[in-house]
Amino acid sequence: MLNVEQAIAEVAGVYQSLTGRAIKPGRYELPPEVDPATQAESNYRQFKALLEQKARASAEPRGKGEPAFAPPVDVVELEREVRVMVDVPGVTREQIVVSVAGDALTIRGERGALRSAAGMMRLEERRKGPILRTIALPPRARRDGIEATLREGVLTVVIPTDGHGNDVTEVPIDVK
């Protein structure tokens, strides 16, 4: 179970180290159907996943010194599953690796540049290079039965949530 006071202190410390000032007290109203403890735990897990993602990304070697970028993601928690949708246009199944380790879903990949042998590139805005995204999973996420599909540039990962998330072993997931 999450120690809320410890979590608040940790978040406040990181905030102060990044901004140089203390967090100002605020007020946030939750809808009545949302359990505050569950919401706090979910937000804290996302916070920890971001910190871990940043730590892993800075520790990993990059080709040509290019940092990984985090593609946009939507996460929907339903009654019996969590659905993660990640925009990865231009990435094939062979270029993407999805795995679960501990309470985190990790998506790695590589988006290469499309080069035309016949012409000269005049404008190049689309991101290319390594992709890395880590998403915190709820404690009851199952490690077996996870499905990943890639269609029309959107990777959808479906994680059943009727299990126990105690396993820290990395589990690779086949992308279909």
Side-chain angles (χ1 to χ4, degrees):
M1 182 162 189
L2 176 68
N3 179 334
V4 176
E5 294 299 322
Q6 182 181 353
I8 290 171
E10 184 177 353
V11 171
V14 170
Y15 180 85
Q16 188 162 359
S17 71
L18 292 173
T19 64
R21 59 184 191 271
I23 294 178
K24 294 179 182 174
R27 185 158 169 78
Y28 178 71
E29 295 287 331
L30 287 175
E33 66 272 8
V34 175
D35 176 43
T38 303
Q39 182 70 22
E41 185 169 346
S42 173
N43 289 345
Y44 181 70
R45 286 181 179 281
Q46 290 176 359
F47 169 75
K48 292 296 283 185
L50 286 172
L51 291 178
E52 291 167 7
Q53 177 181 344
K54 183 66 177 164
R56 278 194 296 268
S58 62
E60 291 179 2
R62 300 275 176 242
K64 301 174 191 151
E66 197 170 350
F69 69 94
V73 64
D74 289 337
V75 179
V76 179
E77 189 166 348
L78 302 167
E79 186 176 329
R80 295 191 174 158
E81 65 187 28
V82 172
R83 287 185 182 264
V84 178
M85 284 94 34
V86 185
D87 286 345
V88 287
V91 177
T92 65
R93 287 174 184 79
E94 294 76 26
Q95 294 172 303
I96 207 155
V97 176
V98 180
S99 64
V100 172
D103 63 352
L105 171 73
T106 301
I107 298 156
R108 298 175 191 278
E110 184 79 27
R111 181 165 36 198
L114 297 174
R115 295 285 179 193
S116 171
M120 182 171 92
M121 181 67 75
R122 294 283 184 184
L123 178 64
E124 191 171 21
E125 293 181 341
R126 293 174 45 216
R127 297 278 317 245
K128 59 192 167 297
I131 297 169
L132 177 63
R133 191 66 194 244
T134 302
I135 294 103
L137 297 176
R140 64 188 197 286
R142 257 188 17 216
R143 300 305 179 257
D144 60 327
I146 297 174
E147 295 180 1
T149 56
L150 180 63
R151 287 195 182 91
E152 298 179 7
V154 178
L155 174 69
T156 302
V157 184
V158 178
I159 304 112
T161 56
D162 56 353
H164 301 287
N166 304 6
D167 190 3
V168 294
T169 308
E170 186 166 352
V171 178
I173 296 150
D174 186 35
V175 179
K176 297 174 184 164

Tab-separated table of all heavy atoms in Angstrom, residues 7-51:
chain	number	residue	atom	x	y	z
A	7	ALA	N	5.060	9.637	-0.267
A	7	ALA	CA	4.940	9.948	-1.688
A	7	ALA	C	4.884	11.458	-1.904
A	7	ALA	O	5.542	11.999	-2.806
A	7	ALA	CB	3.698	9.280	-2.273
A	8	ILE	N	4.113	12.157	-1.071
A	8	ILE	CA	4.007	13.617	-1.195
A	8	ILE	C	5.368	14.264	-0.953
A	8	ILE	O	5.780	15.173	-1.683
A	8	ILE	CB	2.932	14.169	-0.231
A	8	ILE	CG1	1.541	13.747	-0.716
A	8	ILE	CG2	3.033	15.689	-0.116
A	8	ILE	CD1	0.427	14.051	0.257
A	9	ALA	N	6.075	13.785	0.061
A	9	ALA	CA	7.397	14.336	0.362
A	9	ALA	C	8.369	14.109	-0.801
A	9	ALA	O	9.148	15.002	-1.160
A	9	ALA	CB	7.948	13.708	1.639
A	10	GLU	N	8.304	12.927	-1.412
A	10	GLU	CA	9.195	12.626	-2.542
A	10	GLU	C	8.877	13.521	-3.739
A	10	GLU	O	9.772	14.087	-4.364
A	10	GLU	CB	9.075	11.155	-2.935
A	10	GLU	CG	10.034	10.762	-4.021
A	10	GLU	CD	9.968	9.279	-4.374
A	10	GLU	OE1	9.276	8.517	-3.686
A	10	GLU	OE2	10.631	8.907	-5.351
A	11	VAL	N	7.593	13.654	-4.062
A	11	VAL	CA	7.189	14.496	-5.183
A	11	VAL	C	7.583	15.952	-4.917
A	11	VAL	O	8.108	16.635	-5.787
A	11	VAL	CB	5.665	14.376	-5.442
A	11	VAL	CG1	5.197	15.411	-6.457
A	11	VAL	CG2	5.321	12.970	-5.922
A	12	ALA	N	7.354	16.418	-3.694
A	12	ALA	CA	7.712	17.797	-3.336
A	12	ALA	C	9.214	18.025	-3.464
A	12	ALA	O	9.650	19.075	-3.945
A	12	ALA	CB	7.245	18.110	-1.916
A	13	GLY	N	10.007	17.037	-3.055
A	13	GLY	CA	11.462	17.162	-3.173
A	13	GLY	C	11.920	17.249	-4.615
A	13	GLY	O	12.779	18.073	-4.962
A	14	VAL	N	11.359	16.415	-5.469
A	14	VAL	CA	11.720	16.447	-6.893
A	14	VAL	C	11.280	17.771	-7.509
A	14	VAL	O	12.033	18.404	-8.253
A	14	VAL	CB	11.098	15.247	-7.646
A	14	VAL	CG1	11.249	15.404	-9.144
A	14	VAL	CG2	11.726	13.946	-7.184
A	15	TYR	N	10.064	18.205	-7.182
A	15	TYR	CA	9.568	19.474	-7.711
A	15	TYR	C	10.492	20.626	-7.310
A	15	TYR	O	10.867	21.447	-8.145
A	15	TYR	CB	8.142	19.733	-7.208
A	15	TYR	CG	7.548	21.030	-7.712
A	15	TYR	CD1	6.920	21.075	-8.948
A	15	TYR	CD2	7.620	22.199	-6.976
A	15	TYR	CE1	6.380	22.248	-9.432
A	15	TYR	CE2	7.085	23.392	-7.440
A	15	TYR	CZ	6.463	23.408	-8.674
A	15	TYR	OH	5.935	24.576	-9.156
A	16	GLN	N	10.873	20.654	-6.045
A	16	GLN	CA	11.728	21.740	-5.569
A	16	GLN	C	13.108	21.681	-6.218
A	16	GLN	O	13.682	22.704	-6.564
A	16	GLN	CB	11.854	21.716	-4.050
A	16	GLN	CG	12.581	22.939	-3.526
A	16	GLN	CD	12.352	23.183	-2.053
A	16	GLN	OE1	11.636	22.446	-1.407
A	16	GLN	NE2	12.950	24.228	-1.541
A	17	SER	N	13.639	20.476	-6.423
A	17	SER	CA	14.959	20.376	-7.050
A	17	SER	C	14.916	20.809	-8.516
A	17	SER	O	15.896	21.321	-9.039
A	17	SER	CB	15.509	18.956	-6.923
A	17	SER	OG	14.799	18.066	-7.751
A	18	LEU	N	13.770	20.629	-9.168
A	18	LEU	CA	13.647	21.030	-10.573
A	18	LEU	C	13.341	22.511	-10.736
A	18	LEU	O	13.817	23.148	-11.678
A	18	LEU	CB	12.554	20.209	-11.258
A	18	LEU	CG	12.841	18.726	-11.456
A	18	LEU	CD1	11.611	18.016	-11.991
A	18	LEU	CD2	14.020	18.522	-12.383
A	19	THR	N	12.507	23.058	-9.839
A	19	THR	CA	12.049	24.437	-10.009
A	19	THR	C	12.731	25.435	-9.087
A	19	THR	O	12.661	26.640	-9.322
A	19	THR	CB	10.530	24.532	-9.765
A	19	THR	OG1	10.259	24.199	-8.396
A	19	THR	CG2	9.763	23.621	-10.698
A	20	GLY	N	13.330	24.941	-7.994
A	20	GLY	CA	13.958	25.834	-7.036
A	20	GLY	C	12.988	26.454	-6.053
A	20	GLY	O	13.347	27.335	-5.281
A	21	ARG	N	11.739	26.015	-6.084
A	21	ARG	CA	10.753	26.543	-5.133
A	21	ARG	C	9.850	25.407	-4.640
A	21	ARG	O	9.713	24.381	-5.290
A	21	ARG	CB	9.929	27.658	-5.748
A	21	ARG	CG	9.159	27.259	-6.974
A	21	ARG	CD	8.437	28.476	-7.578
A	21	ARG	NE	7.502	28.067	-8.585
A	21	ARG	CZ	7.786	27.918	-9.866
A	21	ARG	NH1	9.006	28.151	-10.296
A	21	ARG	NH2	6.871	27.533	-10.718
A	22	ALA	N	9.245	25.650	-3.494
A	22	ALA	CA	8.360	24.641	-2.898
A	22	ALA	C	7.026	24.594	-3.643
A	22	ALA	O	6.616	25.575	-4.273
A	22	ALA	CB	8.124	24.964	-1.430
A	23	ILE	N	6.359	23.459	-3.537
A	23	ILE	CA	5.026	23.320	-4.132
A	23	ILE	C	4.054	24.170	-3.328
A	23	ILE	O	4.049	24.136	-2.098
A	23	ILE	CB	4.568	21.842	-4.115
A	23	ILE	CG1	5.442	21.000	-5.026
A	23	ILE	CG2	3.104	21.727	-4.520
A	23	ILE	CD1	5.092	19.531	-5.023
A	24	LYS	N	3.224	24.928	-4.037
A	24	LYS	CA	2.190	25.712	-3.373
A	24	LYS	C	0.978	24.815	-3.132
A	24	LYS	O	0.617	24.012	-3.993
A	24	LYS	CB	1.777	26.900	-4.242
A	24	LYS	CG	2.874	27.912	-4.435
A	24	LYS	CD	2.409	29.047	-5.311
A	24	LYS	CE	3.547	30.026	-5.544
A	24	LYS	NZ	3.183	31.061	-6.494
A	25	PRO	N	0.363	24.956	-1.965
A	25	PRO	CA	-0.838	24.147	-1.701
A	25	PRO	C	-1.911	24.459	-2.735
A	25	PRO	O	-2.072	25.600	-3.159
A	25	PRO	CB	-1.281	24.581	-0.304
A	25	PRO	CG	-0.128	25.317	0.274
A	25	PRO	CD	0.711	25.818	-0.857
A	26	GLY	N	-2.607	23.445	-3.127
A	26	GLY	CA	-3.668	23.608	-4.107
A	26	GLY	C	-4.878	22.799	-3.714
A	26	GLY	O	-4.864	22.063	-2.724
A	27	ARG	N	-5.909	22.919	-4.493
A	27	ARG	CA	-7.131	22.169	-4.215
A	27	ARG	C	-7.537	21.482	-5.507
A	27	ARG	O	-7.605	22.103	-6.560
A	27	ARG	CB	-8.212	23.127	-3.746
A	27	ARG	CG	-9.463	22.451	-3.330
A	27	ARG	CD	-10.250	23.376	-2.389
A	27	ARG	NE	-11.579	22.901	-2.151
A	27	ARG	CZ	-11.875	21.920	-1.310
A	27	ARG	NH1	-10.933	21.317	-0.655
A	27	ARG	NH2	-13.122	21.548	-1.137
A	28	TYR	N	-7.803	20.197	-5.380
A	28	TYR	CA	-8.189	19.412	-6.535
A	28	TYR	C	-9.400	18.590	-6.151
A	28	TYR	O	-9.350	17.808	-5.207
A	28	TYR	CB	-7.032	18.515	-6.983
A	28	TYR	CG	-7.348	17.631	-8.153
A	28	TYR	CD1	-7.496	18.158	-9.430
A	28	TYR	CD2	-7.513	16.270	-7.995
A	28	TYR	CE1	-7.798	17.363	-10.502
A	28	TYR	CE2	-7.808	15.456	-9.068
A	28	TYR	CZ	-7.948	16.009	-10.323
A	28	TYR	OH	-8.250	15.212	-11.386
A	29	GLU	N	-10.482	18.788	-6.840
A	29	GLU	CA	-11.720	18.060	-6.544
A	29	GLU	C	-11.794	16.815	-7.409
A	29	GLU	O	-11.682	16.890	-8.631
A	29	GLU	CB	-12.936	18.945	-6.830
A	29	GLU	CG	-13.039	20.165	-5.946
A	29	GLU	CD	-13.449	19.817	-4.527
A	29	GLU	OE1	-14.156	18.817	-4.327
A	29	GLU	OE2	-13.033	20.555	-3.617
A	30	LEU	N	-11.995	15.666	-6.770
A	30	LEU	CA	-12.198	14.416	-7.489
A	30	LEU	C	-13.689	14.169	-7.651
A	30	LEU	O	-14.468	14.504	-6.759
A	30	LEU	CB	-11.601	13.246	-6.702
A	30	LEU	CG	-10.086	13.141	-6.664
A	30	LEU	CD1	-9.672	12.001	-5.747
A	30	LEU	CD2	-9.531	12.914	-8.045
A	31	PRO	N	-14.090	13.566	-8.759
A	31	PRO	CA	-15.494	13.176	-8.881
A	31	PRO	C	-15.838	12.169	-7.774
A	31	PRO	O	-14.971	11.421	-7.322
A	31	PRO	CB	-15.568	12.506	-10.262
A	31	PRO	CG	-14.326	12.913	-10.974
A	31	PRO	CD	-13.311	13.242	-9.938
A	32	PRO	N	-17.086	12.136	-7.321
A	32	PRO	CA	-17.455	11.268	-6.203
A	32	PRO	C	-17.221	9.780	-6.474
A	32	PRO	O	-16.997	9.014	-5.537
A	32	PRO	CB	-18.941	11.548	-5.984
A	32	PRO	CG	-19.380	12.430	-7.080
A	32	PRO	CD	-18.192	12.934	-7.812
A	33	GLU	N	-17.230	9.364	-7.733
A	33	GLU	CA	-17.047	7.943	-8.035
A	33	GLU	C	-15.576	7.512	-8.019
A	33	GLU	O	-15.263	6.327	-8.146
A	33	GLU	CB	-17.679	7.570	-9.382
A	33	GLU	CG	-17.030	8.216	-10.594
A	33	GLU	CD	-17.578	9.584	-10.961
A	33	GLU	OE1	-18.384	10.155	-10.210
A	33	GLU	OE2	-17.183	10.081	-12.030
A	34	VAL	N	-14.646	8.440	-7.855
A	34	VAL	CA	-13.218	8.133	-7.854
A	34	VAL	C	-12.724	7.999	-6.416
A	34	VAL	O	-12.924	8.882	-5.588
A	34	VAL	CB	-12.422	9.238	-8.597
A	34	VAL	CG1	-10.936	8.988	-8.496
A	34	VAL	CG2	-12.852	9.311	-10.046
A	35	ASP	N	-12.071	6.886	-6.141
A	35	ASP	CA	-11.492	6.646	-4.823
A	35	ASP	C	-10.197	7.459	-4.702
A	35	ASP	O	-9.277	7.285	-5.505
A	35	ASP	CB	-11.208	5.154	-4.652
A	35	ASP	CG	-10.511	4.841	-3.346
A	35	ASP	OD1	-10.914	5.403	-2.314
A	35	ASP	OD2	-9.565	4.021	-3.370
A	36	PRO	N	-10.099	8.352	-3.708
A	36	PRO	CA	-8.902	9.199	-3.583
A	36	PRO	C	-7.614	8.407	-3.410
A	36	PRO	O	-6.579	8.771	-3.972
A	36	PRO	CB	-9.192	10.052	-2.341
A	36	PRO	CG	-10.662	9.998	-2.155
A	36	PRO	CD	-11.112	8.690	-2.715
A	37	ALA	N	-7.648	7.316	-2.646
A	37	ALA	CA	-6.431	6.519	-2.433
A	37	ALA	C	-5.974	5.881	-3.739
A	37	ALA	O	-4.782	5.877	-4.053
A	37	ALA	CB	-6.683	5.452	-1.371
A	38	THR	N	-6.916	5.352	-4.503
A	38	THR	CA	-6.576	4.742	-5.795
A	38	THR	C	-6.029	5.795	-6.756
A	38	THR	O	-5.062	5.548	-7.468
A	38	THR	CB	-7.820	4.060	-6.403
A	38	THR	OG1	-8.318	3.109	-5.474
A	38	THR	CG2	-7.490	3.373	-7.712
A	39	GLN	N	-6.638	6.975	-6.760
A	39	GLN	CA	-6.177	8.069	-7.633
A	39	GLN	C	-4.769	8.506	-7.254
A	39	GLN	O	-3.913	8.700	-8.117
A	39	GLN	CB	-7.151	9.249	-7.555
A	39	GLN	CG	-6.793	10.392	-8.460
A	39	GLN	CD	-6.984	10.075	-9.927
A	39	GLN	OE1	-7.742	9.181	-10.284
A	39	GLN	NE2	-6.292	10.790	-10.782
A	40	ALA	N	-4.526	8.640	-5.949
A	40	ALA	CA	-3.191	9.042	-5.486
A	40	ALA	C	-2.153	7.997	-5.873
A	40	ALA	O	-1.059	8.330	-6.338
A	40	ALA	CB	-3.199	9.250	-3.975
A	41	GLU	N	-2.495	6.719	-5.705
A	41	GLU	CA	-1.558	5.646	-6.057
A	41	GLU	C	-1.287	5.631	-7.557
A	41	GLU	O	-0.151	5.493	-7.990
A	41	GLU	CB	-2.104	4.292	-5.605
A	41	GLU	CG	-1.120	3.181	-5.838
A	41	GLU	CD	-1.524	1.890	-5.162
A	41	GLU	OE1	-2.410	1.892	-4.305
A	41	GLU	OE2	-0.915	0.860	-5.513
A	42	SER	N	-2.328	5.818	-8.353
A	42	SER	CA	-2.163	5.838	-9.811
A	42	SER	C	-1.268	7.002	-10.241
A	42	SER	O	-0.348	6.834	-11.046
A	42	SER	CB	-3.530	5.953	-10.480
A	42	SER	OG	-3.388	6.124	-11.865
A	43	ASN	N	-1.518	8.196	-9.690
A	43	ASN	CA	-0.687	9.355	-10.031
A	43	ASN	C	0.756	9.163	-9.591
A	43	ASN	O	1.682	9.523	-10.309
A	43	ASN	CB	-1.264	10.627	-9.399
A	43	ASN	CG	-2.541	11.068	-10.059
A	43	ASN	OD1	-2.882	10.612	-11.144
A	43	ASN	ND2	-3.279	11.937	-9.399
A	44	TYR	N	0.948	8.569	-8.418
A	44	TYR	CA	2.306	8.339	-7.915
A	44	TYR	C	3.035	7.328	-8.799
A	44	TYR	O	4.214	7.505	-9.112
A	44	TYR	CB	2.253	7.853	-6.471
A	44	TYR	CG	3.619	7.626	-5.873
A	44	TYR	CD1	4.451	8.700	-5.579
A	44	TYR	CD2	4.087	6.346	-5.606
A	44	TYR	CE1	5.706	8.508	-5.037
A	44	TYR	CE2	5.333	6.139	-5.062
A	44	TYR	CZ	6.143	7.223	-4.776
A	44	TYR	OH	7.386	7.025	-4.257
A	45	ARG	N	2.352	6.272	-9.214
A	45	ARG	CA	2.972	5.278	-10.109
A	45	ARG	C	3.391	5.921	-11.428
A	45	ARG	O	4.452	5.626	-11.960
A	45	ARG	CB	2.027	4.106	-10.375
A	45	ARG	CG	1.880	3.179	-9.210
A	45	ARG	CD	0.933	2.030	-9.575
A	45	ARG	NE	0.805	1.134	-8.479
A	45	ARG	CZ	1.705	0.211	-8.149
A	45	ARG	NH1	2.797	0.087	-8.865
A	45	ARG	NH2	1.510	-0.585	-7.121
A	46	GLN	N	2.560	6.799	-11.960
A	46	GLN	CA	2.916	7.494	-13.195
A	46	GLN	C	4.140	8.376	-12.978
A	46	GLN	O	5.040	8.429	-13.826
A	46	GLN	CB	1.745	8.329	-13.695
A	46	GLN	CG	0.599	7.506	-14.218
A	46	GLN	CD	-0.591	8.344	-14.628
A	46	GLN	OE1	-0.586	9.563	-14.512
A	46	GLN	NE2	-1.619	7.684	-15.107
A	47	PHE	N	4.176	9.069	-11.854
A	47	PHE	CA	5.320	9.906	-11.501
A	47	PHE	C	6.591	9.068	-11.422
A	47	PHE	O	7.625	9.420	-11.998
A	47	PHE	CB	5.023	10.603	-10.165
A	47	PHE	CG	6.206	11.286	-9.543
A	47	PHE	CD1	6.677	12.492	-10.045
A	47	PHE	CD2	6.842	10.735	-8.449
A	47	PHE	CE1	7.762	13.124	-9.462
A	47	PHE	CE2	7.924	11.363	-7.864
A	47	PHE	CZ	8.391	12.555	-8.376
A	48	LYS	N	6.526	7.933	-10.712
A	48	LYS	CA	7.697	7.057	-10.572
A	48	LYS	C	8.127	6.495	-11.932
A	48	LYS	O	9.322	6.405	-12.215
A	48	LYS	CB	7.399	5.907	-9.605
A	48	LYS	CG	7.220	6.333	-8.163
A	48	LYS	CD	8.473	6.928	-7.593
A	48	LYS	CE	9.454	5.840	-7.244
A	48	LYS	NZ	10.656	6.327	-6.574
A	49	ALA	N	7.158	6.132	-12.761
A	49	ALA	CA	7.492	5.601	-14.087
A	49	ALA	C	8.211	6.654	-14.924
A	49	ALA	O	9.162	6.341	-15.650
A	49	ALA	CB	6.233	5.121	-14.806
A	50	LEU	N	7.791	7.915	-14.826
A	50	LEU	CA	8.470	8.979	-15.561
A	50	LEU	C	9.909	9.141	-15.089
A	50	LEU	O	10.826	9.292	-15.899
A	50	LEU	CB	7.718	10.298	-15.395
A	50	LEU	CG	6.421	10.437	-16.163
A	50	LEU	CD1	5.689	11.711	-15.744
A	50	LEU	CD2	6.669	10.438	-17.655
A	51	LEU	N	10.103	9.103	-13.772
A	51	LEU	CA	11.461	9.212	-13.239
A	51	LEU	C	12.319	8.033	-13.690
A	51	LEU	O	13.482	8.199	-14.074
A	51	LEU	CB	11.443	9.294	-11.715
A	51	LEU	CG	10.870	10.568	-11.104
A	51	LEU	CD1	10.886	10.478	-9.582
A	51	LEU	CD2	11.616	11.792	-11.583
